[in-house]
Amino acid sequence: TINPSGPYCTSDNMDTLLSANNGGIWSGNGIVNSATGEFDPSLAGAGNHIITYVITGSCGDVQTTTITVYEGDASFSLPADSMCTNNNPITLFANQSGGIWSGNGIVNSATGVFDPGLAGPGSHLINYTLPPPCPDSQSQSIVVEQSVYAQINYVNPLCLNYGPIPLIGIPSGGIWTGNGITDTINGVFSPSTAGVGSHIITYTISGDCGDVTTTTIIVD
């Protein structure tokens, strides 16, 4: 007869299984010493494991029992890069399901949906907690950056002989491109360089959370 054992967690220390009579041989997944019946939950892994105990001899016996091992790993993964406030919500994934998500930006504690727009700019601590019988908790930080929304102030139609003018982009610090742009940093537009016609001007704010916008300048 094998004494009941478990359930165990994969993080538990090794345990020695017991039987009604000594001197038998133990076997099965997780058994690290067949003579003493030492059982290692982490070696066995999560699941139901059939353990056998054999007493040899003409009057011997064989008995089996099932030992259950539960996972207790609350580790989870986050996006490799920072997110932007205008990114769509994402679903976080953990190594083991069934836990509870919490933290700024978490909109569904069961599925782990994170909304960067709701969280806002900054570094946000995300927690994932597994309940008993094998409780565990892990925390990681996810970084959200403010999204940029580029704008260009409207420019009235210009005459061909009009002198160069500085364009205004919001926020500052972007790069200007397009026909007639003579200074990509300061956004200087020259009607005579552009020539008569409609000219598409592009203003680009670089960075992972940058933006691109365009405007049309007419030269007569």
Side-chain angles (χ1 to χ4, degrees), residues 2-3 5 8 14-19 24-45 49-54 63-67 69:
I2 301 173
N3 293 357
S5 297
Y8 297 97
M14 290 187 289
D15 192 18
T16 300
L17 306 181
L18 300 175
S19 64
I25 300 299
W26 298 88
S27 63
N29 196 22
I31 294 295
V32 296
N33 190 316
S34 60
T36 62
E38 196 168 14
F39 176 79
D40 187 346
S42 63
L43 178 64
H49 307 285
I50 297 177
I51 303 300
T52 302
Y53 184 62
V54 179
Q63 184 63 268
T64 62
T65 189
T66 299
I67 295 180
V69 179

mmCIF file of all heavy atoms in Angstrom, residues 2-3 5 8 14-19 24-45 49-54 63-67 69:
data_model
loop_
_atom_site.group_PDB
_atom_site.id
_atom_site.type_symbol
_atom_site.label_atom_id
_atom_site.label_comp_id
_atom_site.label_asym_id
_atom_site.label_seq_id
_atom_site.Cartn_x
_atom_site.Cartn_y
_atom_site.Cartn_z
ATOM 1 N N ILE A 2 0.527 2.240 -0.832
ATOM 2 C CA ILE A 2 1.254 3.512 -0.905
ATOM 3 C C ILE A 2 0.455 4.567 -0.162
ATOM 4 O O ILE A 2 -0.749 4.731 -0.403
ATOM 5 C CB ILE A 2 1.464 3.937 -2.372
ATOM 6 C CG1 ILE A 2 2.245 2.864 -3.138
ATOM 7 C CG2 ILE A 2 2.178 5.278 -2.443
ATOM 8 C CD1 ILE A 2 2.341 3.146 -4.617
ATOM 9 N N ASN A 3 1.104 5.250 0.741
ATOM 10 C CA ASN A 3 0.435 6.333 1.451
ATOM 11 C C ASN A 3 0.100 7.477 0.483
ATOM 12 O O ASN A 3 0.911 7.805 -0.387
ATOM 13 C CB ASN A 3 1.315 6.864 2.577
ATOM 14 C CG ASN A 3 1.503 5.852 3.685
ATOM 15 O OD1 ASN A 3 0.937 4.755 3.645
ATOM 16 N ND2 ASN A 3 2.315 6.202 4.671
ATOM 17 N N SER A 5 -0.095 10.948 -1.322
ATOM 18 C CA SER A 5 0.852 12.067 -1.369
ATOM 19 C C SER A 5 0.354 13.113 -2.356
ATOM 20 O O SER A 5 -0.314 12.794 -3.341
ATOM 21 C CB SER A 5 2.238 11.582 -1.796
ATOM 22 O OG SER A 5 2.781 10.682 -0.863
ATOM 23 N N TYR A 8 1.264 18.391 -5.409
ATOM 24 C CA TYR A 8 2.466 19.202 -5.271
ATOM 25 C C TYR A 8 2.430 20.351 -6.280
ATOM 26 O O TYR A 8 1.648 20.345 -7.225
ATOM 27 C CB TYR A 8 3.716 18.364 -5.528
ATOM 28 C CG TYR A 8 3.935 17.235 -4.554
ATOM 29 C CD1 TYR A 8 3.518 15.940 -4.870
ATOM 30 C CD2 TYR A 8 4.578 17.443 -3.339
ATOM 31 C CE1 TYR A 8 3.727 14.886 -3.980
ATOM 32 C CE2 TYR A 8 4.793 16.395 -2.456
ATOM 33 C CZ TYR A 8 4.370 15.124 -2.768
ATOM 34 O OH TYR A 8 4.582 14.084 -1.893
ATOM 35 N N MET A 14 11.770 18.355 -3.055
ATOM 36 C CA MET A 14 11.585 16.914 -3.190
ATOM 37 C C MET A 14 10.973 16.335 -1.906
ATOM 38 O O MET A 14 11.195 16.841 -0.810
ATOM 39 C CB MET A 14 12.920 16.231 -3.499
ATOM 40 C CG MET A 14 13.438 16.536 -4.903
ATOM 41 S SD MET A 14 14.900 15.565 -5.352
ATOM 42 C CE MET A 14 16.129 16.346 -4.294
ATOM 43 N N ASP A 15 10.196 15.266 -2.068
ATOM 44 C CA ASP A 15 9.519 14.629 -0.946
ATOM 45 C C ASP A 15 9.742 13.117 -1.031
ATOM 46 O O ASP A 15 9.911 12.564 -2.131
ATOM 47 C CB ASP A 15 8.026 14.944 -0.993
ATOM 48 C CG ASP A 15 7.314 14.554 0.297
ATOM 49 O OD1 ASP A 15 8.009 14.366 1.317
ATOM 50 O OD2 ASP A 15 6.081 14.436 0.276
ATOM 51 N N THR A 16 9.747 12.459 0.128
ATOM 52 C CA THR A 16 9.923 11.013 0.168
ATOM 53 C C THR A 16 8.575 10.332 0.311
ATOM 54 O O THR A 16 7.836 10.577 1.274
ATOM 55 C CB THR A 16 10.847 10.605 1.335
ATOM 56 O OG1 THR A 16 12.131 11.218 1.161
ATOM 57 C CG2 THR A 16 11.027 9.095 1.367
ATOM 58 N N LEU A 17 8.241 9.509 -0.664
ATOM 59 C CA LEU A 17 6.981 8.778 -0.626
ATOM 60 C C LEU A 17 7.074 7.638 0.389
ATOM 61 O O LEU A 17 8.149 7.076 0.633
ATOM 62 C CB LEU A 17 6.649 8.227 -2.024
ATOM 63 C CG LEU A 17 6.628 9.257 -3.164
ATOM 64 C CD1 LEU A 17 6.257 8.583 -4.475
ATOM 65 C CD2 LEU A 17 5.662 10.399 -2.844
ATOM 66 N N LEU A 18 5.938 7.291 0.974
ATOM 67 C CA LEU A 18 5.913 6.268 2.022
ATOM 68 C C LEU A 18 4.952 5.141 1.631
ATOM 69 O O LEU A 18 3.962 5.364 0.927
ATOM 70 C CB LEU A 18 5.487 6.881 3.354
ATOM 71 C CG LEU A 18 6.368 8.013 3.902
ATOM 72 C CD1 LEU A 18 5.745 8.602 5.168
ATOM 73 C CD2 LEU A 18 7.779 7.503 4.186
ATOM 74 N N SER A 19 5.265 3.955 2.129
ATOM 75 C CA SER A 19 4.408 2.795 1.874
ATOM 76 C C SER A 19 4.217 2.019 3.180
ATOM 77 O O SER A 19 4.919 2.240 4.176
ATOM 78 C CB SER A 19 5.039 1.883 0.823
ATOM 79 O OG SER A 19 6.255 1.353 1.316
ATOM 80 N N GLY A 24 10.721 -2.063 -0.937
ATOM 81 C CA GLY A 24 10.294 -2.194 -2.323
ATOM 82 C C GLY A 24 11.046 -1.249 -3.248
ATOM 83 O O GLY A 24 11.936 -0.495 -2.846
ATOM 84 N N ILE A 25 10.661 -1.282 -4.526
ATOM 85 C CA ILE A 25 11.287 -0.456 -5.553
ATOM 86 C C ILE A 25 10.241 0.503 -6.114
ATOM 87 O O ILE A 25 9.143 0.100 -6.513
ATOM 88 C CB ILE A 25 11.854 -1.333 -6.692
ATOM 89 C CG1 ILE A 25 12.904 -2.304 -6.142
ATOM 90 C CG2 ILE A 25 12.451 -0.452 -7.787
ATOM 91 C CD1 ILE A 25 14.104 -1.631 -5.505
ATOM 92 N N TRP A 26 10.638 1.774 -6.169
ATOM 93 C CA TRP A 26 9.764 2.825 -6.684
ATOM 94 C C TRP A 26 10.129 3.144 -8.132
ATOM 95 O O TRP A 26 11.300 3.149 -8.508
ATOM 96 C CB TRP A 26 9.903 4.102 -5.855
ATOM 97 C CG TRP A 26 9.508 3.979 -4.413
ATOM 98 C CD1 TRP A 26 10.309 3.598 -3.376
ATOM 99 C CD2 TRP A 26 8.219 4.227 -3.859
ATOM 100 N NE1 TRP A 26 9.607 3.601 -2.192
ATOM 101 C CE2 TRP A 26 8.312 3.990 -2.465
ATOM 102 C CE3 TRP A 26 6.996 4.623 -4.376
ATOM 103 C CZ2 TRP A 26 7.242 4.131 -1.600
ATOM 104 C CZ3 TRP A 26 5.916 4.782 -3.520
ATOM 105 C CH2 TRP A 26 6.035 4.533 -2.157
ATOM 106 N N SER A 27 9.132 3.453 -8.923
ATOM 107 C CA SER A 27 9.376 3.867 -10.303
ATOM 108 C C SER A 27 8.261 4.786 -10.768
ATOM 109 O O SER A 27 7.169 4.808 -10.184
ATOM 110 C CB SER A 27 9.488 2.654 -11.233
ATOM 111 O OG SER A 27 8.264 1.934 -11.262
ATOM 112 N N GLY A 28 8.566 5.549 -11.811
ATOM 113 C CA GLY A 28 7.567 6.481 -12.339
ATOM 114 C C GLY A 28 8.179 7.845 -12.577
ATOM 115 O O GLY A 28 9.288 8.155 -12.097
ATOM 116 N N ASN A 29 7.474 8.683 -13.263
ATOM 117 C CA ASN A 29 7.949 10.022 -13.591
ATOM 118 C C ASN A 29 8.128 10.855 -12.322
ATOM 119 O O ASN A 29 7.212 10.975 -11.521
ATOM 120 C CB ASN A 29 6.934 10.705 -14.519
ATOM 121 C CG ASN A 29 7.513 11.913 -15.216
ATOM 122 O OD1 ASN A 29 8.721 12.038 -15.354
ATOM 123 N ND2 ASN A 29 6.637 12.799 -15.669
ATOM 124 N N GLY A 30 9.326 11.404 -12.130
ATOM 125 C CA GLY A 30 9.625 12.223 -10.957
ATOM 126 C C GLY A 30 10.363 11.485 -9.860
ATOM 127 O O GLY A 30 10.855 12.111 -8.915
ATOM 128 N N ILE A 31 10.459 10.137 -9.943
ATOM 129 C CA ILE A 31 11.206 9.366 -8.936
ATOM 130 C C ILE A 31 12.703 9.518 -9.201
ATOM 131 O O ILE A 31 13.200 9.182 -10.278
ATOM 132 C CB ILE A 31 10.816 7.873 -8.983
ATOM 133 C CG1 ILE A 31 9.359 7.690 -8.564
ATOM 134 C CG2 ILE A 31 11.736 7.054 -8.076
ATOM 135 C CD1 ILE A 31 9.059 8.058 -7.130
ATOM 136 N N VAL A 32 13.427 10.045 -8.208
ATOM 137 C CA VAL A 32 14.875 10.254 -8.367
ATOM 138 C C VAL A 32 15.689 9.243 -7.558
ATOM 139 O O VAL A 32 16.904 9.152 -7.710
ATOM 140 C CB VAL A 32 15.266 11.694 -7.967
ATOM 141 C CG1 VAL A 32 14.616 12.707 -8.912
ATOM 142 C CG2 VAL A 32 14.879 12.000 -6.530
ATOM 143 N N ASN A 33 15.024 8.490 -6.685
ATOM 144 C CA ASN A 33 15.711 7.444 -5.930
ATOM 145 C C ASN A 33 14.743 6.274 -5.795
ATOM 146 O O ASN A 33 13.767 6.348 -5.040
ATOM 147 C CB ASN A 33 16.157 7.963 -4.556
ATOM 148 C CG ASN A 33 17.071 6.985 -3.842
ATOM 149 O OD1 ASN A 33 16.821 5.776 -3.823
ATOM 150 N ND2 ASN A 33 18.130 7.510 -3.209
ATOM 151 N N SER A 34 15.008 5.199 -6.547
ATOM 152 C CA SER A 34 14.079 4.065 -6.584
ATOM 153 C C SER A 34 14.031 3.302 -5.274
ATOM 154 O O SER A 34 13.057 2.597 -4.996
ATOM 155 C CB SER A 34 14.462 3.121 -7.726
ATOM 156 O OG SER A 34 15.779 2.625 -7.527
ATOM 157 N N ALA A 35 15.071 3.438 -4.441
ATOM 158 C CA ALA A 35 15.108 2.696 -3.174
ATOM 159 C C ALA A 35 14.365 3.430 -2.059
ATOM 160 O O ALA A 35 13.643 2.815 -1.269
ATOM 161 C CB ALA A 35 16.546 2.432 -2.762
ATOM 162 N N THR A 36 14.524 4.764 -2.026
ATOM 163 C CA THR A 36 13.919 5.530 -0.931
ATOM 164 C C THR A 36 12.572 6.140 -1.307
ATOM 165 O O THR A 36 11.839 6.621 -0.442
ATOM 166 C CB THR A 36 14.859 6.666 -0.496
ATOM 167 O OG1 THR A 36 15.049 7.568 -1.593
ATOM 168 C CG2 THR A 36 16.208 6.098 -0.053
ATOM 169 N N GLY A 37 12.256 6.175 -2.606
ATOM 170 C CA GLY A 37 10.992 6.764 -3.037
ATOM 171 C C GLY A 37 11.006 8.272 -3.051
ATOM 172 O O GLY A 37 9.964 8.914 -2.863
ATOM 173 N N GLU A 38 12.188 8.856 -3.268
ATOM 174 C CA GLU A 38 12.276 10.309 -3.304
ATOM 175 C C GLU A 38 11.664 10.814 -4.625
ATOM 176 O O GLU A 38 12.044 10.362 -5.715
ATOM 177 C CB GLU A 38 13.728 10.760 -3.179
ATOM 178 C CG GLU A 38 13.876 12.219 -2.816
ATOM 179 C CD GLU A 38 15.308 12.562 -2.406
ATOM 180 O OE1 GLU A 38 16.215 11.738 -2.660
ATOM 181 O OE2 GLU A 38 15.512 13.636 -1.834
ATOM 182 N N PHE A 39 10.742 11.763 -4.496
ATOM 183 C CA PHE A 39 9.983 12.270 -5.642
ATOM 184 C C PHE A 39 10.255 13.757 -5.828
ATOM 185 O O PHE A 39 10.174 14.538 -4.876
ATOM 186 C CB PHE A 39 8.485 12.039 -5.413
ATOM 187 C CG PHE A 39 7.592 12.600 -6.483
ATOM 188 C CD1 PHE A 39 7.420 11.927 -7.683
ATOM 189 C CD2 PHE A 39 6.915 13.793 -6.286
ATOM 190 C CE1 PHE A 39 6.589 12.444 -8.676
ATOM 191 C CE2 PHE A 39 6.081 14.317 -7.261
ATOM 192 C CZ PHE A 39 5.919 13.640 -8.461
ATOM 193 N N ASP A 40 10.595 14.159 -7.077
ATOM 194 C CA ASP A 40 10.912 15.550 -7.379
ATOM 195 C C ASP A 40 9.790 16.145 -8.246
ATOM 196 O O ASP A 40 9.674 15.826 -9.436
ATOM 197 C CB ASP A 40 12.241 15.627 -8.132
ATOM 198 C CG ASP A 40 12.710 17.066 -8.323
ATOM 199 O OD1 ASP A 40 11.903 17.990 -8.114
ATOM 200 O OD2 ASP A 40 13.884 17.264 -8.692
ATOM 201 N N PRO A 41 8.956 17.032 -7.682
ATOM 202 C CA PRO A 41 7.842 17.615 -8.460
ATOM 203 C C PRO A 41 8.307 18.392 -9.684
ATOM 204 O O PRO A 41 7.655 18.358 -10.732
ATOM 205 C CB PRO A 41 7.144 18.532 -7.452
ATOM 206 C CG PRO A 41 7.527 18.003 -6.112
ATOM 207 C CD PRO A 41 8.923 17.484 -6.276
ATOM 208 N N SER A 42 9.428 19.122 -9.559
ATOM 209 C CA SER A 42 9.902 19.917 -10.697
ATOM 210 C C SER A 42 10.382 19.025 -11.824
ATOM 211 O O SER A 42 10.230 19.359 -13.005
ATOM 212 C CB SER A 42 11.033 20.858 -10.256
ATOM 213 O OG SER A 42 12.160 20.128 -9.802
ATOM 214 N N LEU A 43 10.977 17.883 -11.483
ATOM 215 C CA LEU A 43 11.412 16.929 -12.502
ATOM 216 C C LEU A 43 10.209 16.266 -13.170
ATOM 217 O O LEU A 43 10.194 16.069 -14.396
ATOM 218 C CB LEU A 43 12.312 15.860 -11.878
ATOM 219 C CG LEU A 43 12.797 14.756 -12.820
ATOM 220 C CD1 LEU A 43 13.686 15.344 -13.912
ATOM 221 C CD2 LEU A 43 13.561 13.679 -12.031
ATOM 222 N N ALA A 44 9.216 15.952 -12.396
ATOM 223 C CA ALA A 44 8.011 15.326 -12.951
ATOM 224 C C ALA A 44 7.266 16.285 -13.860
ATOM 225 O O ALA A 44 6.778 15.911 -14.925
ATOM 226 C CB ALA A 44 7.101 14.856 -11.821
ATOM 227 N N GLY A 45 7.190 17.559 -13.458
ATOM 228 C CA GLY A 45 6.459 18.550 -14.240
ATOM 229 C C GLY A 45 4.979 18.515 -13.940
ATOM 230 O O GLY A 45 4.472 17.618 -13.248
ATOM 231 N N HIS A 49 0.818 11.913 -12.567
ATOM 232 C CA HIS A 49 1.914 10.963 -12.753
ATOM 233 C C HIS A 49 1.624 9.656 -12.007
ATOM 234 O O HIS A 49 1.330 9.666 -10.802
ATOM 235 C CB HIS A 49 3.228 11.567 -12.255
ATOM 236 C CG HIS A 49 3.515 12.911 -12.864
ATOM 237 N ND1 HIS A 49 3.945 13.065 -14.161
ATOM 238 C CD2 HIS A 49 3.392 14.169 -12.357
ATOM 239 C CE1 HIS A 49 4.104 14.350 -14.427
ATOM 240 N NE2 HIS A 49 3.770 15.041 -13.336
ATOM 241 N N ILE A 50 1.708 8.562 -12.737
ATOM 242 C CA ILE A 50 1.478 7.237 -12.131
ATOM 243 C C ILE A 50 2.785 6.735 -11.523
ATOM 244 O O ILE A 50 3.800 6.592 -12.207
ATOM 245 C CB ILE A 50 0.961 6.243 -13.183
ATOM 246 C CG1 ILE A 50 -0.401 6.702 -13.712
ATOM 247 C CG2 ILE A 50 0.843 4.844 -12.577
ATOM 248 C CD1 ILE A 50 -0.954 5.820 -14.807
ATOM 249 N N ILE A 51 2.742 6.477 -10.228
ATOM 250 C CA ILE A 51 3.902 5.982 -9.480
ATOM 251 C C ILE A 51 3.640 4.521 -9.088
ATOM 252 O O ILE A 51 2.552 4.177 -8.601
ATOM 253 C CB ILE A 51 4.150 6.825 -8.220
ATOM 254 C CG1 ILE A 51 4.337 8.311 -8.609
ATOM 255 C CG2 ILE A 51 5.360 6.301 -7.460
ATOM 256 C CD1 ILE A 51 5.498 8.575 -9.544
ATOM 257 N N THR A 52 4.654 3.702 -9.286
ATOM 258 C CA THR A 52 4.532 2.267 -8.997
ATOM 259 C C THR A 52 5.483 1.873 -7.880
ATOM 260 O O THR A 52 6.637 2.321 -7.838
ATOM 261 C CB THR A 52 4.846 1.435 -10.257
ATOM 262 O OG1 THR A 52 3.955 1.827 -11.301
ATOM 263 C CG2 THR A 52 4.684 -0.048 -9.981
ATOM 264 N N TYR A 53 4.981 0.998 -6.988
ATOM 265 C CA TYR A 53 5.810 0.469 -5.889
ATOM 266 C C TYR A 53 5.729 -1.058 -5.935
ATOM 267 O O TYR A 53 4.637 -1.631 -5.898
ATOM 268 C CB TYR A 53 5.305 0.998 -4.546
ATOM 269 C CG TYR A 53 6.155 0.580 -3.376
ATOM 270 C CD1 TYR A 53 7.483 0.956 -3.274
ATOM 271 C CD2 TYR A 53 5.616 -0.197 -2.343
ATOM 272 C CE1 TYR A 53 8.257 0.593 -2.188
ATOM 273 C CE2 TYR A 53 6.377 -0.571 -1.247
ATOM 274 C CZ TYR A 53 7.704 -0.176 -1.181
ATOM 275 O OH TYR A 53 8.473 -0.547 -0.100
ATOM 276 N N VAL A 54 6.894 -1.678 -6.058
ATOM 277 C CA VAL A 54 6.961 -3.132 -6.227
ATOM 278 C C VAL A 54 7.741 -3.762 -5.070
ATOM 279 O O VAL A 54 8.882 -3.372 -4.797
ATOM 280 C CB VAL A 54 7.648 -3.499 -7.563
ATOM 281 C CG1 VAL A 54 7.741 -5.015 -7.704
ATOM 282 C CG2 VAL A 54 6.893 -2.892 -8.725
ATOM 283 N N GLN A 63 1.736 -2.085 -6.388
ATOM 284 C CA GLN A 63 0.675 -1.095 -6.187
ATOM 285 C C GLN A 63 1.035 0.180 -6.939
ATOM 286 O O GLN A 63 2.213 0.502 -7.119
ATOM 287 C CB GLN A 63 0.501 -0.809 -4.696
ATOM 288 C CG GLN A 63 -0.635 0.138 -4.354
ATOM 289 C CD GLN A 63 -1.990 -0.419 -4.756
ATOM 290 O OE1 GLN A 63 -2.450 -0.153 -5.863
ATOM 291 N NE2 GLN A 63 -2.601 -1.204 -3.870
ATOM 292 N N THR A 64 0.019 0.888 -7.417
ATOM 293 C CA THR A 64 0.247 2.172 -8.089
ATOM 294 C C THR A 64 -0.592 3.256 -7.431
ATOM 295 O O THR A 64 -1.606 2.983 -6.777
ATOM 296 C CB THR A 64 -0.124 2.097 -9.589
ATOM 297 O OG1 THR A 64 -1.505 1.808 -9.722
ATOM 298 C CG2 THR A 64 0.702 1.048 -10.312
ATOM 299 N N THR A 65 -0.147 4.489 -7.619
ATOM 300 C CA THR A 65 -0.893 5.660 -7.168
ATOM 301 C C THR A 65 -0.673 6.776 -8.174
ATOM 302 O O THR A 65 0.317 6.757 -8.924
ATOM 303 C CB THR A 65 -0.441 6.102 -5.763
ATOM 304 O OG1 THR A 65 -1.330 7.120 -5.282
ATOM 305 C CG2 THR A 65 0.973 6.663 -5.784
ATOM 306 N N THR A 66 -1.573 7.722 -8.194
ATOM 307 C CA THR A 66 -1.434 8.873 -9.092
ATOM 308 C C THR A 66 -1.131 10.117 -8.276
ATOM 309 O O THR A 66 -1.868 10.451 -7.335
ATOM 310 C CB THR A 66 -2.716 9.098 -9.907
ATOM 311 O OG1 THR A 66 -2.976 7.935 -10.714
ATOM 312 C CG2 THR A 66 -2.565 10.310 -10.823
ATOM 313 N N ILE A 67 -0.037 10.775 -8.618
ATOM 314 C CA ILE A 67 0.367 12.011 -7.935
ATOM 315 C C ILE A 67 0.156 13.172 -8.896
ATOM 316 O O ILE A 67 0.618 13.146 -10.044
ATOM 317 C CB ILE A 67 1.836 11.944 -7.482
ATOM 318 C CG1 ILE A 67 2.001 10.852 -6.410
ATOM 319 C CG2 ILE A 67 2.291 13.294 -6.945
ATOM 320 C CD1 ILE A 67 3.420 10.708 -5.905
ATOM 321 N N VAL A 69 0.736 17.075 -9.940
ATOM 322 C CA VAL A 69 1.641 18.225 -9.788
ATOM 323 C C VAL A 69 1.048 19.396 -10.571
ATOM 324 O O VAL A 69 0.708 19.258 -11.753
ATOM 325 C CB VAL A 69 3.058 17.911 -10.306
ATOM 326 C CG1 VAL A 69 3.960 19.142 -10.148
ATOM 327 C CG2 VAL A 69 3.647 16.716 -9.557
#
